[in-house]
Amino acid sequence: MKFGGTSLANAERINRSARIVQRFSPSNKIAVVVSAMDDVTDQLAEIGRLAQKGEARKTKQLLAKLQNLHLNTARSVGDRGSRRELLDKISQLNTELERTVDGIGHLRELTPRSKDYLLPFGERLSTHIFTAALQAIRLKSRSLTGAEAGITTDDNFGEARPLAEVSYHQIRQRLDPILARREIPVVAGFMAATVDGSITTLGRGGSDYTASLLGAAIGAEEIWIWTDVDGLMTADPRIVEDAAVLPNVSFWEALELSYFGAKMMHPRALQPAAQKKIPVRIRNSFRPARLGTLISEKETTGAGRVVKAVSMIRGVGIVTVSGTGMMGAPGVAAKVFQTLGSNGINVTMISQGSSEAAISCVVAKKEVERAVRGLQLALLGQGYVEKIGKEQDACIIAVVGSGMRGTPGVAARVFSAIAKKKVNVRMVAQGSSEYNISFIVSEKDGPEAVRGIHEEFQLGTLTSKKIVLC
Ligand code: ADP
Ligand code: ASP
Ligand code: MG
C-alpha cells in the first residue's frame, strides 16, 4: 500500500491512513510506502533554490515552517510511549536537514546530486511519523529509507533508474524477514541510492514507482495506491467537473494515461507491476469503501467506447528545425535526435510533415533554451537547416483508449471537438500503438481542449455500472 501526500497531509489524515492499514492487516501481510506530507517536496525544492540564491532570511523562514510542521504532526500522532522516541528522530532529521541547507547556502550550489540529498527529507520524516501512527494502534512496524529497503539505482540524479535485478534481490532480502515476522515495513518512497550509497530520487511523483518496485520484488498479490480521488478518472477532476472514475483499465491504457496525465501517477511506475502482471488498484483514502480503479492485464472496451480518457501535460515547449534544404537530405533527423540525446534532453513527441522541410520536437519547457542552443551549434551553417524556432507555452493533450485501434473517424471527432472550442492545434502525433492520439495546444487553451474532448465523447457518463455490465 502506498499513501500519497494528500493522505498524509496532517495528523488526522495520517491516523486515518494508519487505520486503513489496520483494517486490512489481520488477513494480509502488508508493506507500506509513504510519500512526503502534502506539498513538502515542493517546499524543499523552494528551500534549496532560495539557499542557492543566498536568500538566507527567506530560506530560514521556510525551513522553520517545515521543521515545525513535522514536529507538530509528530506531537499529535502515536501514543505516549513512543512519542519521545519519535520526537527525537524528527529532531535529528530536522538538524540534518538544516545542515544540508546550510551547506547549499555556503556553497551557493545546488547540483542534481545535492538536490537528491535534499528532496527526500520529506519522505524520511514522514516514514517515522507513519510508523509511530501504526505502532499506536498496536501494529508492529518499522521504517526504512529507500536504500534500506534495497532499492539501488544508477547515478542519473533527479531521475535515477533502478537496477532491477539487484534491487529485486535486495528488496526480498530486506523485506521478506520483516514480513515473515508479521511486522509492517514502512518504506520512504521516491528515494533510493547508488551502489556506492549516494542518495538518488526516482523523479517527481516517484513514490508510486517505489510501490510498484517493491510489489514486483516481493511478488505482492496486488499493489494499492491510496490517493485523494476515487481512482483513475476520465480526465483530471480539477479540469473537468463531471470526470468519471474508470473501474478497469489495462496496463497499456494506464501507461499512456500516466505518461500524459503528468501528475496522477509517475510515468514509469507501472512498468515493474506490468512486467510481473501484478494488478494495481488506485483507491481513495478519504472514501476507502470504494473499490477504485483496477489496472490489470485485461483489456476492457469501456461499454464499447473508443475513447476512455483524456489528459494533459503542462510545461512543455516545441523546438522546430526547418529549412528548404532539408527536403530529401538524408540524415537530418538523425543529427537532430543525436544532438538532443547527447545533451541529455528527452524528446516527448516528434512530428515531421511529408514536405520534410521541418521537424518539430516537444521537450520539457525548461530544456527548450538548451535544445535550441545545442541544435544551433550542431546544425546551422551547414547548408540544409535555415532556422531553429521555439515555442515555450505549450501543453500536450492525449486522448487514450484501446478501442481506438482500427476504429476510423476518431481523429476527425477529436479535432472537430477542438475546433468547436476555437482552440488552435499546433502539432499532432499518433503513436503507432493507436492507443492514443496526442497533440499540442497553447498552455492557456489546454483545459478548454480537454473539456471539449470530454464532452464530445461523453466520457462523464462512463459510469462503473456500464463498464461492469459489458
Ligand atoms: P498523491 O499525493 O496521492 O500522489 P497526486 O496529486 O500525485 O496524489 O495525484 C492525484 C491527483 O491527480 C488527483 O488529485 C487529481 O487531481 C490528479 N489527476 C490528474 N489526472 C487525473 C486522472 N485522469 N484521474 C484521476 N486523477 C487525476
Ligand atoms: N514526494 C515526492 C514528490 O512530491 C514523491 C511523491 O509524492 O510520489 O514528487
Ligand atoms: Mg503522486
Side-chain angles (χ1 to χ4, degrees):
M1 290 188 181
K2 175 251 169 176
F3 292 90
T6 39
S7 305
L8 306 167
N10 51 43
E12 192 249 327
R13 290 193 191 173
I14 290 172
N15 285 329
R16 187 201 321 229
S17 297
R19 282 196 299 275
I20 290 179
V21 177
Q22 185 184 38
R23 179 189 306 188
F24 293 97
S25 70
S27 46
N28 297 283
K29 288 185 196 164
I30 301 173
V32 170
V33 173
V34 292
S35 296
M37 292 175 72
D38 197 27
D39 203 37
V40 163
T41 315
D42 281 339
Q43 289 185 36
L44 284 163
E46 178 63 8
I47 288 172
R49 205 182 56 81
L50 290 169
Q52 182 197 21
K53 277 176 52 193
E55 304 227 17
R57 204 176 51 84
K58 279 196 196 152
T59 308
K60 276 230 147 53
Q61 261 175 5
L62 199 51
L63 181 63
K65 190 174 144 210
L66 211 66
Q67 289 172 318
N68 287 333
L69 168 76
H70 289 99
L71 276 176
N72 290 335
T73 310
R75 284 193 189 105
S76 334
V77 158
D79 53 16
R80 282 197 166 178
S82 59
R83 198 164 297 149
R84 190 65 263 149
E85 200 186 331
L86 173 62
L87 287 173
D88 283 348
K89 280 195 185 120
I90 301 296
S91 300
Q92 266 171 30
L93 280 167
N94 273 346
T95 309
E96 197 183 326
L97 169 61
E98 207 167 309
R99 290 208 185 110
T100 306
V101 175
D102 277 348
I104 296 166
H106 283 307
L107 293 173
R108 292 284 196 93
E109 190 176 75
L110 185 63
T111 60
R113 188 193 177 103
S114 49
K115 195 168 174 190
D116 269 9
Y117 191 84
L118 174 66
L119 292 193
F121 270 100
E123 273 73 9
R124 291 172 68 189
L125 287 155
S126 65
T127 24
H128 287 295
I129 299 178
F130 200 81
T131 303
L134 290 177
Q135 286 166 348
I137 48 175
R138 309 280 161 258
L139 293 173
K140 277 198 261 167
S141 70
R142 55 174 291 189
S143 13
L144 295 102
T145 63
E148 284 165 351
I151 308 174
T152 304
T153 64
D154 63 11
D155 62 357
N156 183 20
F157 294 101
E159 201 70 52
R161 298 234 168 206
L163 309 174
E165 290 315 316
V166 184
S167 298
Y168 284 175
H169 174 75
Q170 293 180 160
I171 292 167
R172 275 195 305 269
Q173 258 188 344
R174 312 268 161 87
L175 297 196
D176 281 352
I178 302 176
L179 291 164
R181 291 198 298 272
R182 295 205 80 93
E183 274 182 44
I184 299 171
V186 177
V187 179
F190 175 53
M191 68 178 309
T194 59
V195 180
D196 58 11
S198 303
I199 295 185
T200 53
T201 63
L202 306 171
R204 293 302 306 272
S207 303
D208 302 325
Y209 198 8
T210 305
S212 179
L213 276 168
L214 297 189
I218 62 177
E221 221 170 298
E222 288 197 3
I223 297 163
W224 290 4
I225 309 278
W226 292 97
T227 181
D228 62 342
V229 282
D230 283 343
L232 208 50
M233 305 179 84
T234 51
D236 187 337
R238 288 168 296 194
I239 299 175
V240 179
E241 232 173 63
D242 64 341
V245 176
L246 293 157
N248 301 287
V249 294
S250 69
F251 279 122
W252 267 110
E253 289 170 323
L255 272 171
E256 302 271 3
L257 268 178
S258 61
Y259 191 74
F260 289 105
K263 258 216 75 197
M264 177 60 201
M265 202 187 230
H266 184 285
R268 276 178 280 126
L270 288 169
Q271 276 169 5
Q275 233 168 27
K276 302 259 163 155
K277 303 188 175 51
I278 301 174
V280 176
R281 226 178 245 289
I282 307 204
R283 304 185 65 164
N284 191 343
S285 70
F286 298 83
R287 295 201 277 198
R290 307 211 165 187
L291 280 179
T293 299
L294 181 66
I295 306 173
S296 67
E297 273 206 296
K298 259 209 330 249
E299 296 226 334
T300 53
T301 55
R305 283 165 198 260
V306 286
V307 169
K308 270 201 178 168
V310 51
S311 62
M312 170 171 107
I313 186 165
R314 293 178 207 263
V316 298
I318 312 175
V319 178
T320 302
V321 175
S322 59
T324 41
M326 283 165 59
M327 289 190 252
V332 183
K335 196 107 196 238
V336 168
F337 298 123
Q338 195 191 15
T339 306
L340 294 173
S342 59
N343 280 292
I345 297 168
N346 184 38
V347 177
T348 315
M349 255 170 87
I350 306 162
S351 115
Q352 177 179 29
S354 60
S355 77
E356 297 180 32
I359 297 173
S360 297
C361 304
V362 175
V363 300
K365 197 178 190 165
K366 62 177 193 296
E367 306 280 27
V368 168
E369 292 298 339
R370 234 158 44 79
V372 170
R373 272 199 305 278
L375 290 168
Q376 280 170 339
L377 283 174
L379 298 171
L380 289 182
Q382 300 188 1
Y384 43 91
V385 172
E386 285 153 22
K387 197 175 152 215
I388 294 164
K390 62 174 185 196
E391 288 178 56
Q392 258 165 326
D393 291 308
C395 66
I396 304 177
I397 309 289
V399 184
V400 176
S402 54
M404 278 160 46
R405 201 172 24 187
T407 309
V410 182
R413 278 179 72 189
V414 166
F415 292 113
S416 65
I418 297 301
K420 256 190 246 159
K421 294 281 180 186
K422 302 207 175 354
V423 169
N424 181 34
V425 176
R426 294 179 174 181
M427 181 176 155
V428 184
Q430 176 174 24
S432 58
S433 71
E434 290 188 49
Y435 279 118
N436 98 61
I437 294 176
S438 26
F439 55 92
I440 301 276
V441 300
S442 75
E443 197 151 17
K444 73 168 182 11
D445 286 340
E448 200 52 25
V450 168
R451 286 190 281 268
I453 290 164
H454 206 266
E455 279 164 30
E456 169 65 30
F457 291 94
Q458 296 176 350
L459 300 182
T461 55
L462 190 74
T463 64
S464 17
K465 263 207 193 102
K466 279 184 192 144
I467 291 192
V468 173
L469 288 176
C470 81

